[in-house]
Structure formats: structure tokens, C-alpha cells
Amino acid sequence: MSLFTALQKNAALLGMIVLLGALGACATKVTRMDAAEVQDLSGAWNDTDSQQVSAEMIQDVLNRPWLTEYTVLQKRQPAVIVGEVRNLSHEHINVNTFVADTERALINSGKVQFVASSTERQEIRGERKDQDLNASEATRKAMGQEKGADFMLQGTINTIIDASGRTQLRYYQVDLTLISLVDNSKVWVGQKKIKKLVERSNLRF
Amino acid sequence: MAVWSERCRVLLCVAALSGCASYSTSFGVIERNLALQQYDVALQNIEQQSTVKHDRVLYLLNKGMVQRMQHDFAGSNQTLEAAKAEMERLYAASVSENTLSFLVNDATVSYAGDDYEQVLVHLYMALNYLELAQPDAARVEALQVDIKLREIGEKIPDSKFTEDAFSRYLTGLIYEEHGEWSDALIAYRKAYEAYQKYQKHYGLALPDMLKHDLLRLTQRQGLSDEAAQYQKKFDLTPPGKEIASQQGELVFILNNGLAPIKREKAISLFDPVSGIMARIALPYYESRFNNVASARIRVSGGQASGKQATSELMEDIDAIARQSLDARLPAITARSLARAVAKTTATRNMQRRNDNDAALDLLGAFAVQVAAIATERADTRSWLTLPANIQLARLSLPPGSYTVTVELRDKDGQVVSSKEYPGVTITQAHKTYLTQHWIPAQPAGRRRAK
């Protein structure tokens, strides 16, 4: 029996093998990556941008004079609250990641205290109300004992897009501001700029 | 072996035949369910189209549109965002698909959406976000509209559709909501420019609302020369100061009817000498039946009870779609002709083969001929759940909760349909958005052409 006829006889089997091989290629493939690894896919705002922004902001906010000045003057640590970081860019951006990063770094530095944000407070107040009714006298937490914040962290994300043909220049600017609740003075302004050149492909298979 | 290969060819032809039903014919069932407002069933029908890879954009667009008819605005945005991503992926032309389209037909190329469809995705996402009361996210879409329109304008500068007037106008409303007066004014100016083009190409008049907005904003920004110019040109009385920030506003948007549907017209040519038949199939637009000409909104409850407004035509998608196809028809025709030549050559080659079995040759040639003719179908794909036109009514109201009655009227002013929206909240210095889709049942067996 020649190889050719053998192949013909086993054509069905061969077909199955090829099909199975094709199936294997269709299965979802997952590759674990390090969180710090840079992987740009579409050119849109991604995790790397978010991390770069938070790293920059944390570095900056902890090394500026407002912190020591306040601590020396008031003889206590400042209490900060996170306000709104408005997305004024052209992309739907999740701002929570770098706000949370910045918040974490500030709390963990031990130099700043954080107060729950307005949405978080609502839930806490609900719990306190519930305690009022159901918790024992010894463990009940009284209302009206909340700590007022001294500063509020606010911010914006802006973008400028310049495009020609399939080339696009994307410029992101993130501004975070720390504003004193006493007199509206701005004690710190952090800024991070990111610039990307995105070239779209003209052809695909 | 020869018999086998011929059989294979015949089989191939049959396979090709089965894949040939044109896209727009599959819309009938969906459309009937939409007219009955059975959105769940319509969604199930649309879901059946999810597997067709090169129509994925259309599947997502239709699904997103029906989801917003169901008032599932968040779900609609998720779907439309996926449609945008798919359009972006299809920006790069596919080598394999274009080769196939030269051999089979235009419908084998992945559909990335017509220019106007690509702009309207952003418009509907913005409307979704506005109805979800997320003005910041709507602003994101407004910025994307700007980027998209710039891209289109650069790609085809002499195209009639380089500006989308209503999208510009809506972005103006969004900027105004954010207190970004200069951005809003720029958007209104661009809308004004675009409406002038609309008037020329589609016969759509400049909406009165825009005239007032232009005057109001130029006055606000202290551009007295420009304001005087608008006042004179539009013959307007300057607005009083009292309409200021005390009031809120209701913005009602009517998505009226259905966008035109592409049908196929085909010419078959027979060459008696060679016995070869060639076919050329081209798409044309057919307008849909609609009995509603305008909407009147009336509020009840609160201090402003009885206040009413009539909608104005803001965007004539029917006309835009027709113009767009007219502009592309020469290219479509050229491609169809080239295909006819290629297919005829293939048939002739089959006839002239010097095989021993003449009967088989004839059969083969016949099979190729059948395939060539059967596969020559027009590309009838378009975003069919879009409305035929978009109308808008604005009503300035004191803050409070109202019941809004929407009356849809025909061209003689007779009420066709009436719907009540209870508990519409108007807040101070903000706009509350309310949208309605009107899809009339299409009369059976009757086709209306414009």
C-alpha cells in the first residue's frame, strides 16, 4: 500500500486531526502578566497610564511643603477627603484606580488622615442609625462625632487630540488639586502629562 | 476524478446560493415586532444574527438601538461601545475580504458602517448617557463626535456629509449644560454651518431653536456684532433677561419612523453567441411608510400646567442615507461591472476546456454560470433600526415634577398616538432628556418609494 492510498483511507482520521488542531487554536488563551508591564493595545487610556499618574502624584504630594507646614502649625495631621475627579477627556476613563492608588499611598505614608467620601459616608451613617436601634449600649457609636476634613482632593482629566489620516496624537493632562476647606486656598496642584502617537493599521488579513 | 471535481463545483454553487439571501430581507420579522413594541422578541430575532461575522457591527448597532427602545440605556451603551470598537478594528481594509468581494459580491466585506452611521452611534450613546443623567459621560461622546467628524471631513473633503448638524447641536446642548459657554457657541456655529449645507442638499430648514440659541449665547459672551447679525438675519426679538437660571428645561427627542431600507435591482444580460449570461445587481434605497409628521408635548402638574411645544425636524436620516448611497453608487457599479467581466471569463474558460467528456464540460460551465449569477447580489446592508428622522422639542419649565403627554400627529394635525410619561423631574438650570421611538407597522405588500 502506497503512502498516498494509506492517506486516502485515513482521510477521515486526518480530517479529524486537522479539525481538532483548529479547535485547539480557538480556545481562550490567558497569559499572566506583571502589573507593571507595559502593554499598549489600542492607544486608549490604560492601566499603565493610570499607574504612571498615581506614581507621579504620590511622589509629588508627599514631598511638598503644605504637609509639614500644616502639621507644624496645627500640631496634628491634616484630614483629607476625595472629591470628584472629572473626566473631561474624549474617552470613557475609569478614574477610580489612580484616585484609589493616591489615597492608599497618602494613608500608608502615615502623614495624612483620610475621611470617607460622601458616598461612603452614606453607608456608614446608615449603619450607625441601625446601631442606634440594635447595638448594645457599650458598643453603640454615637452620631455627630464625625471627623471633618481639612482638605479636599479634586481633579480633572483633559485631552487634546490631533489627527491626520491614520496617525493620531493623543495628549492627556491630569490635574489634581488639594483645596483647603477653611478658605478655599489651593495648597497643592499635581500635574501629569502623557503624550502618545497612535498609528492605525491600513490593512488586515 | 473529473466527475468528482464537477460534483464538487455543483456542491459549491449550491452552498454559495444558500448564503445569498440579501441582508435587508431578514429585517421583516424584527420590524414587525418593533412596530408591536415587542422589544424582547425583536432582541431575540436580532440575536440570531450575532453569528454572522462580517455583519457584526450591524448586529451590535441594532441590538443597542432596541435596548434603548426598552429603556435599557446602560446595556445599550455597552453594546454600542462594542460596535464602536468593531468599527475601529474594521478601519483597516481586509485583503482577503476584498479579494473575495471581487469574486463573489460586496456583501462579503465586513460592514464597518456608513459615515453617517458612525457619527450617529456617538449621538445615541450621548442620548443614553443624558437619559441616565450622566452629563460628563455624554460630554465624552460629544468630544468623540468632533474627532469623528474631523476624520470624515479630512478623508472626503468634498463629501456632502462632512458635518452632522444634529450631533453638533446636541453637543452644544451638552456643553451648555456644563456651563462651557464658548464650547457651546462653537458647536452651535458649526451646527448652523451644517444646517446651511443640509438646506442645500436635503432641503431641511434651519431649526428655530438654533436661531435663538445662537442669539442667546453670542449675547451672553458679549459678541454684540455677531448677535446683531443673527438678530437681523433671523428676524428675532432679543430674549428677556428673566429666562435665566431659575428655570429647568425639558428636551424631548422623537426618533420618528424607520430609516430607508436598501433593496436590490438587478439587470441580467444574455449573450446569444456564447450563451453566457451576466448579471449586475445594485442597491437602491426605499423609504419606509410613516404616518407621523410631528409631535406635540404638553405638561401637566405644577405651576406650568398646560404648557406645550411642537417638535421641529432636526435631522433627516432618510435624505442623508439616500445622498450617501448616491455618492457611492458609481464605485459600486464599477465593482459590479468588473465582477461581471471576471465571472463571464470564468464561464467561458469552463466552456473551452478540451476535456474528453463534452457533456461534463457543459455541465461544469452551466454550474459556474449559475454560481456567477446567483452570487451577484447587491449589498443591502445598513443600520435599519435608525429612525427616518429625528425631531426635537424644548420646553422651559420651573423646577418640579410633571406628567408629560406626547401626542404624535400626522401631516393634517390628527393625533395618531398619545403617550403619557408621569413623574418627569425638572431641576433648576438643568436639562431633562426624554426620548421616544415611533415605529409604525408597514402596510403589507405595499412599497412606497419617494
Side-chain angles (χ1 to χ4, degrees):
Chain A
M1 193 167 24
S2 76
L3 182 66
F4 181 69
T5 44
L7 272 178
Q8 251 189 344
K9 283 207 168 171
N10 291 321
L13 190 69
L14 210 77
M16 286 266 283
I17 292 168
V18 170
L19 271 181
L20 279 177
L23 264 182
C26 291
T28 311
K29 192 171 151 242
V30 180
T31 316
R32 291 261 168 178
M33 292 173 65
D34 189 74
E37 203 175 318
V38 178
Q39 172 80 284
D40 283 321
L41 296 173
S42 67
W45 179 272
N46 64 12
D47 62 312
T48 308
D49 300 308
S50 175
Q51 286 178 30
Q52 282 184 0
V53 169
S54 57
E56 183 115 337
M57 295 296 180
I58 292 159
Q59 244 271 312
D60 200 49
V61 72
L62 287 175
N63 293 322
R64 294 292 172 179
W66 72 275
L67 190 56
T68 39
E69 272 171 23
Y70 186 90
T71 324
V72 168
L73 210 68
Q74 303 289 330
K75 298 191 175 57
R76 65 178 173 88
Q77 291 172 342
V80 178
I81 186 172
V82 176
E84 196 187 2
V85 177
R86 288 188 67 196
N87 174 19
L88 300 177
S89 77
H90 73 289
E91 279 172 38
H92 296 287
I93 288 175
N94 187 345
V95 295
N96 296 336
T97 48
F98 74 79
V99 171
D101 270 347
T102 316
E103 195 177 328
R104 175 184 54 86
L106 280 172
I107 298 171
N108 291 352
S109 71
K111 296 173 185 164
V112 176
Q113 294 194 338
F114 255 82
V115 180
S117 73
S118 62
T119 41
E120 290 168 329
R121 279 200 300 262
Q122 294 309 318
E123 198 183 351
I124 305 290
R125 281 176 193 157
E127 173 62 22
R128 219 176 276 135
K129 220 174 226 169
D130 186 76
Q131 279 193 1
D132 219 18
L133 213 69
N134 301 312
S136 69
E137 194 76 45
T139 58
R140 185 179 300 158
K141 308 292 178 295
M143 301 205 201
Q145 302 292 311
E146 287 180 11
K147 184 179 198 144
D150 304 304
F151 297 97
M152 186 182 245
L153 191 65
Q154 285 183 332
T156 53
I157 303 180
N158 279 288
T159 49
I160 301 174
I161 303 287
D162 191 18
S164 170
R166 57 197 186 91
T167 314
Q168 211 179 47
L169 195 67
R170 300 185 184 193
Y171 173 80
Y172 299 84
Q173 182 170 321
V174 183
D175 293 287
L176 287 184
T177 318
L178 206 58
I179 301 170
S180 166
L181 286 169
V182 180
D183 54 5
N184 290 347
S185 60
K186 293 184 176 179
V187 294
W188 170 79
V189 175
Q191 195 174 67
K192 169 75 183 167
K193 296 165 181 167
I194 294 170
K195 203 168 173 177
K196 292 183 193 176
L197 188 71
V198 182
E199 283 189 62
R200 299 202 275 178
S201 163
N202 255 350
L203 291 174
R204 64 198 158 88
F205 175 65
Chain B
M1 274 314 268
V3 183
W4 262 108
S5 72
E6 293 311 328
R7 273 193 202 162
C8 279
R9 267 201 199 97
V10 176
L11 269 179
L12 264 177
C13 298
V14 174
L17 269 177
S18 65
C20 275
S22 98
Y23 175 83
S24 64
T25 46
S26 64
F27 190 62
V29 189
I30 300 169
E31 181 187 291
R32 272 192 293 281
N33 285 317
L34 290 180
L36 295 168
Q37 301 192 0
Q38 291 180 336
Y39 300 127
D40 286 333
V41 190
L43 271 181
Q44 282 169 18
N45 299 335
I46 290 170
E47 211 59 47
Q48 286 167 2
Q49 300 179 344
S50 65
T51 48
V52 188
K53 221 178 111 199
H54 51 261
D55 294 345
R56 186 157 175 81
V57 166
L58 285 172
Y59 152 69
L60 291 167
L61 290 177
N62 285 326
K63 183 178 171 186
M65 197 63 149
V66 177
Q67 278 175 319
R68 86 177 305 280
M69 290 176 195
Q70 267 186 323
H71 294 262
D72 175 11
F73 299 117
S76 170
N77 275 338
Q78 221 174 350
T79 313
L80 293 179
E81 191 68 47
K84 275 201 304 204
E86 186 70 7
M87 285 172 178
E88 181 65 31
R89 190 182 72 80
L90 295 175
Y91 173 85
S94 163
V95 180
S96 59
E97 283 175 5
N98 279 304
T99 316
L100 195 63
S101 85
F102 183 71
L103 296 171
V104 185
N105 59 41
D106 278 357
T108 54
V109 179
S110 289
Y111 190 79
D114 208 325
D115 286 338
Y116 72 92
E117 291 171 341
Q118 295 197 354
V119 175
L120 290 176
V121 185
H122 298 293
L123 177 85
Y124 280 100
M125 283 191 71
L127 285 177
N128 283 342
Y129 282 121
L130 289 172
E131 286 201 67
L132 285 168
Q134 295 176 11
D136 273 9
R139 191 182 176 281
V140 169
E141 293 301 326
L143 292 174
Q144 290 187 4
V145 164
D146 186 50
I147 294 169
K148 187 62 164 179
L149 284 172
R150 267 195 281 166
E151 186 192 309
I152 293 170
E154 193 194 24
K155 197 171 68 184
I156 14 175
D158 50 348
S159 155
K160 283 175 182 165
F161 183 82
T162 48
E163 277 297 340
D164 186 88
F166 182 56
S167 296
R168 287 289 190 196
Y169 183 70
L170 190 77
T171 57
L173 290 182
I174 293 168
Y175 291 135
E176 219 182 316
E177 172 92 23
H178 284 86
E180 294 166 290
W181 312 110
S182 52
D183 282 335
L185 179 57
I186 291 166
Y188 288 143
R189 281 198 201 123
K190 288 203 165 166
Y192 177 43
E193 264 172 49
Y195 274 117
Q196 284 172 320
K197 269 189 158 186
Y198 273 24
Q199 195 153 22
K200 203 166 113 204
H201 298 310
Y202 315 127
L204 184 73
L206 180 69
D208 285 334
M209 263 174 262
L210 180 59
K211 297 176 187 169
H212 290 284
D213 288 325
L214 280 168
L215 181 60
R216 188 166 42 82
L217 269 184
T218 41
Q219 279 185 338
R220 197 201 148 85
Q221 297 297 86
L223 302 166
S224 46
D225 283 356
E226 200 180 337
Q229 202 186 321
Y230 289 134
Q231 203 178 324
K232 203 175 142 205
K233 197 185 272 175
F234 303 143
D235 192 22
L236 298 173
T237 46
K241 291 269 186 279
E242 79 282 0
I243 14 158
S245 49
Q246 294 303 313
Q247 302 241 328
E249 194 170 26
L250 173 69
V251 180
F252 172 76
I253 292 161
L254 174 67
N255 295 283
N256 191 14
L258 280 176
I261 190 164
K262 275 183 196 154
R263 303 280 187 205
E264 173 186 278
K265 61 179 172 217
I267 319 160
S268 293
L269 300 166
F270 182 70
D271 178 14
V273 182
S274 60
I276 293 173
M277 232 170 127
R279 182 179 141 105
I280 292 167
L282 297 173
Y284 69 95
Y285 264 124
E286 179 187 289
S287 290
R288 320 309 311 281
F289 165 78
N290 194 6
N291 48 356
V292 168
S294 68
R296 178 172 291 178
I297 56 169
R298 200 178 59 237
V299 293
S300 48
Q303 328 155 23
S305 210
K307 224 176 162 188
Q308 55 182 18
T310 309
S311 66
E312 272 189 276
L313 189 58
M314 301 299 284
E315 179 112 320
D316 189 351
I317 295 174
D318 193 282
I320 293 172
R322 281 165 179 282
Q323 286 276 6
S324 165
L325 182 61
D326 283 350
R328 282 180 305 115
L329 206 55
I332 296 173
T333 316
R335 272 203 302 276
S336 187
L337 282 171
R339 256 197 312 273
V341 171
K343 286 173 177 175
T344 312
T345 315
T347 317
R348 193 166 292 151
N349 286 346
M350 270 315 273
Q351 282 180 335
R352 284 184 189 158
R353 271 186 354 164
N354 288 319
D355 262 2
N356 304 332
D357 200 338
L360 259 180
D361 264 3
L362 212 63
L363 186 69
F366 177 69
V368 171
Q369 170 90 78
V370 169
I373 290 172
T375 53
E376 185 55 38
R377 301 301 302 260
D379 182 3
T380 58
R381 293 174 297 176
S382 63
W383 185 0
L384 288 168
T385 41
L386 273 179
N389 61 61
I390 304 174
Q391 304 193 8
L392 191 120
R394 287 169 71 178
L395 207 51
S396 164
L397 296 166
S401 182
Y402 298 91
T403 298
V404 181
T405 311
V406 178
E407 284 177 354
L408 303 181
R409 291 156 179 257
D410 65 12
K411 57 183 193 310
D412 302 320
Q414 299 295 313
V415 178
V416 175
S417 160
S418 173
K419 197 170 176 183
E420 263 189 18
Y421 296 88
V424 176
T425 315
I426 305 288
T427 42
Q428 190 184 329
H430 283 293
K431 294 182 176 68
T432 304
Y433 287 82
L434 186 66
T435 59
Q436 187 177 332
H437 290 259
W438 169 252
I439 298 168
Q442 299 291 319
R446 193 167 124 226
R447 288 185 174 183
R448 279 173 51 129
K450 235 182 188 174

